[in-house]
Amino acid sequence: MLADGAKVGRWQPVSSGRHAFDLAARSSEPGELVRALCGIPVSSDELQRVADELAWIGKATCMDCWRVLAKRTR
Ligand SMILES: [Zn+2]
């Protein structure tokens, strides 16, 4: 089954790792704090930045976000 983007959220590498966010978090105001699915606050600036290849490879996936998504899609 294909993942539904609106349901599963989006992964984004930020300074503290690779976290998942609701799609609504992407449209927040610049400088606003948004929460990853695991609850950590992240500046929306980081979220809206286009991540380069190295950021994707170098960041560890947040397992708390992963578990939240797994519950949603079950
Ligand atoms: Zn997370």
Side-chain angles (χ1 to χ4, degrees):
M1 195 177 81
L2 278 178
D4 175 352
K7 195 171 169 188
V8 302
R10 285 286 177 81
W11 290 96
Q12 173 79 5
V14 296
S15 49
S16 50
R18 184 150 28 106
H19 295 276
F21 298 85
D22 281 319
L23 294 189
R26 295 228 159 206
S27 48
S28 52
E29 296 294 318
E32 207 176 309
L33 277 184
V34 296
R35 286 191 186 276
L37 297 186
C38 63
I40 71 145
V42 174
S43 164
S44 65
D45 297 344
E46 279 204 88
L47 197 56
Q48 284 154 5
R49 191 177 61 199
V50 176
D52 60 30
E53 293 281 315
L54 276 178
W56 280 106
I57 297 165
K59 298 292 181 182
T61 299
C62 171
M63 291 316 288
D64 289 335
C65 282
W66 183 259
R67 274 188 284 271
V68 172
L69 286 180
K71 266 184 214 153
R72 280 189 187 185
T73 52
R74 201 173 293 156

